Amino acid sequence: MEMKVEHRTGSNLALEETDAPMEQEGQSAKGAAAQDLNLSAAAFTTYYTWTANGVHPSVNFANANVKANSRVLLNISEYGANAQDRFIGAARMAVYNIAPYNGGFKAWVEISWGAPLKVRFDVFVDP
């Protein structure tokens, strides 16, 4: 019987350089809807796509509209044929920490699967 060996990155190992996720498109929250939620008129949504697996403690998401004091909410899902075809599969995925900075934000991402998966990050930013 063969045993499956899974290669994981430990917190004490050197970080691997990976390609950054690519931003796809965004929308702004405007008018009364933004005011009802105590949001600024500049609040917006966007999404990024990426192909990866494993533990990535510092994934960089570049976006000139994000400031160091922005509120950034981020979720992750797997997608199929296109980025709008999202689903929950057998892989466990999580976003743990999010740290905005002037020009983007970084997030700790874990994708628990033995091979790279196509993932979509949905982002809400209130600058």
Side-chain angles (χ1 to χ4, degrees):
M1 175 166 70
E2 292 183 49
M3 294 190 65
K4 180 180 176 185
V5 177
E6 194 170 343
H7 301 283
R8 293 186 164 237
T9 302
S11 63
N12 60 343
L13 299 177
L15 298 177
E16 293 180 20
E17 291 295 321
T18 60
D19 293 334
M22 294 178 48
E23 185 175 8
Q24 300 298 317
E25 66 183 51
Q27 296 178 330
S28 295
K30 297 190 188 272
Q35 292 174 353
D36 289 346
L37 297 173
N38 195 25
L39 301 175
S40 76
F44 66 95
T45 64
T46 189
Y47 71 96
Y48 295 76
T49 57
W50 196 34
T51 302
N53 68 318
V55 177
H56 303 273
S58 188
V59 178
N60 188 50
F61 295 82
N63 188 306
N65 297 315
V66 176
K67 306 299 180 218
N69 200 34
S70 294
R71 294 186 288 177
V72 178
L73 305 174
L74 180 68
N75 72 309
I76 185 172
S77 56
E78 190 173 352
Y79 71 91
N82 61 61
Q84 286 69 42
D85 183 23
R86 291 172 279 175
F87 62 90
I88 297 174
R92 185 180 64 213
M93 298 184 282
V95 174
Y96 295 109
N97 304 349
I98 303 168
Y101 63 88
N102 290 332
F105 61 95
K106 292 187 178 191
W108 184 311
V109 176
E110 181 177 353
I111 304 166
S112 297
W113 198 249
L117 298 174
K118 295 186 292 186
V119 296
R120 173 176 162 160
F121 297 96
D122 287 286
V123 185
F124 176 83
V125 178
D126 186 20

